[in-house]
Amino acid sequence: SAETDASALRSRSDPPFLAMFSVMLSVMGFAGRSSLPRAGISTRAHSTAMALDFSTVVKARYSCKEFDPSKQVSSAVLKEIMEITQRAPTSFNTQPWVAIVVRSEEAKKKLSGAMMEGNRVKVDTAPVSVVFAADLDPEKLLTPSTPDFIKQALPVFLKQCTTPEAWAFKQVGIVAQTFMLAAAANGIQTCPMEGFASIPDVCDAVGLDKSRYSVPIVVPMGYAAKPAPEKASARMDFSAQIFEDAMGNPFK
């Protein structure tokens, strides 16, 4: 069953596997069925089986609290995960984000020092931590070849949010989720964190320009030091979160 497959996937700590999942996730940045051939997948293959595979990956992901420092994530697998992460969609495809992949002991020590005390052990034990930073000045990402309608619409979209930071954080959230699912598809666990000493401290730890970037999330990744929880974390009742047509109308 999908639940059994997810349990097995959550417990895997060996090198990358389930290439099918990686291919599946690589198309996440495309919109609609017409995009599938671009990833080497026929429309016919986009089936119930693929939906079940994706469900398995989602259920395999959990917030890992302690990583095995003796098990490294290979550079090849890490690069593949980051390439899949780049397929994450963003508004007008502006891609207002950068990711700092922290691996060396010196860099890990700096980043750990910028975390709240309870999060330091995750950075310390994880072989990799990724700092996802939001670009607060996305208009600088536009080029002379950017269509005029995007140049005109982007400032409007920015003003719809309370601040440019709020707009950029929305984009990074999609990117970070893509990253975590790509890691889970490779049997690697993650733990999204926002418990920092301060955002400026995180920026300083990884050399980010604080006038240009802000950090909504840091994600350690690696192989779990302990078995995955037998029971998935609780979620609110479906009827309390999912509605049809208007708030309060039950989904049918």
Side-chain angles (χ1 to χ4, degrees):
S1 68
E3 289 287 352
T4 302
D5 292 342
S7 178
L9 182 53
R10 287 166 65 158
S11 300
R12 290 293 291 266
S13 60
D14 53 337
F17 65 107
L18 297 176
M20 174 176 60
F21 287 156
S22 295
V23 173
M24 172 195 66
L25 288 168
S26 71
V27 304
M28 289 178 61
F30 298 118
R33 288 192 172 193
S34 62
S35 300
L36 291 171
R38 293 161 57 185
I41 299 176
S42 68
T43 302
R44 185 176 180 181
H46 191 240
S47 62
T48 300
M50 182 173 283
L52 288 172
D53 291 337
F54 181 68
S55 176
T56 300
V57 172
V58 172
K59 292 174 181 176
R61 188 216 62 81
Y62 70 97
S63 295
C64 183
K65 305 303 182 184
E66 188 175 352
F67 300 90
D68 186 343
S70 69
K71 294 181 179 179
Q72 299 298 309
V73 177
S74 74
S75 294
V77 173
L78 182 56
K79 184 177 181 182
E80 180 182 359
I81 290 171
M82 297 312 299
E83 287 176 341
I84 292 172
T85 300
Q86 284 189 288
R87 296 307 315 167
T90 56
S91 179
F92 291 124
N93 197 31
T94 47
Q95 304 170 59
W97 62 276
V98 296
I100 313 299
V101 181
V102 175
R103 303 173 73 183
S104 73
E105 290 302 317
E106 180 181 0
K108 286 169 61 177
K109 185 176 180 180
K110 289 180 180 179
L111 181 59
S112 177
M115 298 291 107
M116 286 184 174
E117 185 173 355
N119 283 335
R120 290 174 185 169
V121 65
K122 298 162 194 165
V123 174
D124 292 339
T125 61
V128 180
S129 289
V130 181
V131 177
F132 288 97
D135 193 329
L136 305 183
D137 196 356
E139 290 179 89
K140 287 185 177 179
L141 299 173
L142 304 181
T143 68
S145 62
T146 300
D148 287 340
F149 81 91
I150 293 179
K151 294 177 181 177
Q152 295 166 5
L154 184 58
V156 176
F157 279 33
L158 288 170
K159 290 179 180 179
Q160 287 179 347
C161 294
T162 54
T163 64
E165 182 181 66
W167 178 88
F169 276 20
K170 288 196 301 181
Q171 315 304 317
V172 173
I174 301 170
V175 175
Q177 175 74 341
T178 302
F179 167 77
M180 290 186 286
L181 292 178
N186 281 275
I188 299 169
Q189 290 304 333
T190 54
C191 186
M193 304 190 311
E194 59 179 354
F196 318 141
S198 73
I199 290 177
D201 285 343
V202 177
C203 290
D204 288 340
V206 294
L208 285 165
D209 179 355
K210 295 190 291 292
S211 68
R212 175 77 181 267
Y213 297 98
S214 188
V215 178
I217 191 169
V218 173
V219 187
M221 70 180 299
Y223 297 101
K226 300 177 182 178
E230 293 184 4
K231 187 177 180 180
S233 56
R235 291 295 184 267
M236 293 176 64
D237 186 77
F238 186 93
S239 63
Q241 285 192 307
I242 313 298
F243 303 96
E244 186 167 335
D245 293 336
M247 182 70 179
N249 290 343
F251 177 86
K252 300 176 183 178

